[in-house]
Structures are given as C-alpha cells and as structure tokens.
Amino acid sequence: MTAKALEGRVFELWRRFQALPLDLQTDVTRMRENLLSSEVKNEVFAVRAGSTTTPNIATASGDAVLRVIEQKVAEDKAISRSKGYAAKLADGLVQSGFLAPPKDSTALEGFPFDAKRSSFVGVDPGLADPGFTSVWSAREGAIQAGTLQRQRSGFLARLMGSTEPCYVVANDKSKAVFVFESDVALQTLDTLDVASEATVEFADELRHGVKVSTARNTETFGADSKEKQEEWLNSFINAGAQYREAFNVADTAKIQSFYELK
C-alpha cells in the first residue's frame, strides 16, 4: 500500500526501516533474535502486570539495550564495528517494530537510548501481550490507516462533545477494523470483525461520515474530506464489509455503487 493510505508513526518507521541498507537490516534482525533469547530477555526486560482490560507491558531501559547491542557487536565478527553503528542498530529496533518509540516522539531515528531514565516498550510478538492488539500487531495486512473522527454516544457525548479523534486501521489479512486511541497505542478501543455479516455505508451523522456495522457493534467515523470518505469506505469494503446503500434522496449524488468502488 502507498504511504498516503498508511499514515501514522508505526508505518512511517517501518518504511524507514525498509529503506535501510540490507546489511543493516540483517544486523537488526540478529539483534532482535539476541534480545529475545531467554537469558538476555530476562535480564533486559521487566514486565509490568496488566489486568483484564490492560495489557502486560515489557519495558527496558535504553542503556540496558545499548549495552546488549555493544556486547553483541564486540562478540560477532559478522557485524560492523564502525563508529556509531550500535546507535543505528538501536534505532533499527524501533524502526522495525521491535521497540516502541517514546510516546510523544515524532522522530524516525536518533532515539534517546543513552538519555537518563530512558525507557522503551517491547512491541515485538515475542514481548507483547498476545491477548491485546496494538498498532504494531495490526500493521501486517493493513490496507488503510489514519486519524478519523469517532462518534460518541450517550453520556460521553453530552459531557465531552459528539466526536473524538481516533486512529483506525482497516486490515485485509485479519478481516477487521481496529480502533485505537493513537497511532502508537498498545491496545484497541474497539475491534470490528468484518469477515462476515458486516456492512458499511455513508453516514449523515458526521461530516464525510462512514458507518461500519457488525452483529456485535457499530462505529461511525468522520473523514476530513469527501475523497478520504470514499477511500475509507472502499477500504472497509476491501477488508470484508458489504456495501449498504443509504436510501437518502438528498445524498444520492454522493453515493457510489459497490462495483464502482471495488
């Protein structure tokens, strides 16, 4: 998929990793495997217990990760020992989706592993809680990702307004639509299974609105333009939802048939 379709830091970092020299990518993979070995993993990562509604989180200090990298570089003759290479390997761990970047960081490289009290969350499948879906675990198979407005309902709508921003990933591989609080979230706000009996339609409730409905739940999203509205509608269809034509005479001009969108 194009960069335009897959917005957000996880995808930007992954594209940066894929642009790295192949030798560096290979060495990052070696480093990931080393950090996942039982001995190193238990030494470097500490697990903070979650609950039934929050995931267990594995964290490591930046300096501990750097020490392991530098030790591996010194031991493994196949890995480059050029100046600054350990820092590139550390960055590669974030870019490849092994570690999460600092929550408020928009950087794509130069992560503060050597900063005092720096801490990184493990988001690799070998570290993350398998009972929860993060943006990283939703990356493979994603066909559309980006920020949308999400319709609130009930008391929250009266208290905080009718909409809130959210980060949405439409995934063709898992046949699901994942709703997150942000583009680096470790768990979903909602998941819509669109593998069967799911519908999608244009929605009047929000500007440039799209509604996805399943037997279990319904979400209404607002895009920032008509073009984006149609892109998201098409992505939800491609992820598995069936197009449901909204029979609203006032909106007939903006409705495209299912076959036109495929």
Side-chain angles (χ1 to χ4, degrees), residues 192-247:
L192 298 107
D193 180 0
V194 293
S196 63
E197 298 183 5
T199 62
V200 60
E201 61 189 288
F202 289 111
D204 292 330
E205 294 94 323
L206 298 180
R207 180 173 172 79
H208 305 309
V210 179
K211 180 187 292 184
V212 184
S213 302
T214 72
R216 189 181 70 85
N217 48 359
T218 297
E219 291 281 357
T220 302
F221 304 109
D224 58 11
S225 68
K226 186 177 186 296
E227 178 186 6
K228 280 292 184 181
Q229 177 191 33
E230 293 175 352
E231 283 181 13
W232 277 102
L233 180 78
N234 197 28
S235 293
F236 294 145
I237 290 170
N238 289 333
Q242 296 295 310
Y243 178 63
R244 180 178 182 273
E245 190 164 348
F247 292 99

Side-chain angles (χ1 to χ4, degrees), residues 130-187:
F132 292 81
T133 299
S134 70
V135 178
W136 285 268
S137 54
R139 188 193 71 206
E140 186 177 351
I143 55 176
Q144 188 91 19
T147 299
L148 295 172
Q149 291 297 314
R150 182 191 189 202
Q151 186 177 40
R152 288 194 181 106
S153 60
F155 176 73
L156 279 178
R158 294 194 297 273
L159 182 67
M160 304 177 68
S162 60
T163 64
E164 62 180 343
C166 66
Y167 183 74
V168 180
V169 178
N171 193 295
D172 178 48
K173 182 178 180 180
S174 58
K175 300 299 179 186
V177 174
F178 301 105
V179 185
F180 298 97
E181 183 178 10
S182 77
D183 62 350
V184 289
L186 299 178
Q187 65 185 102

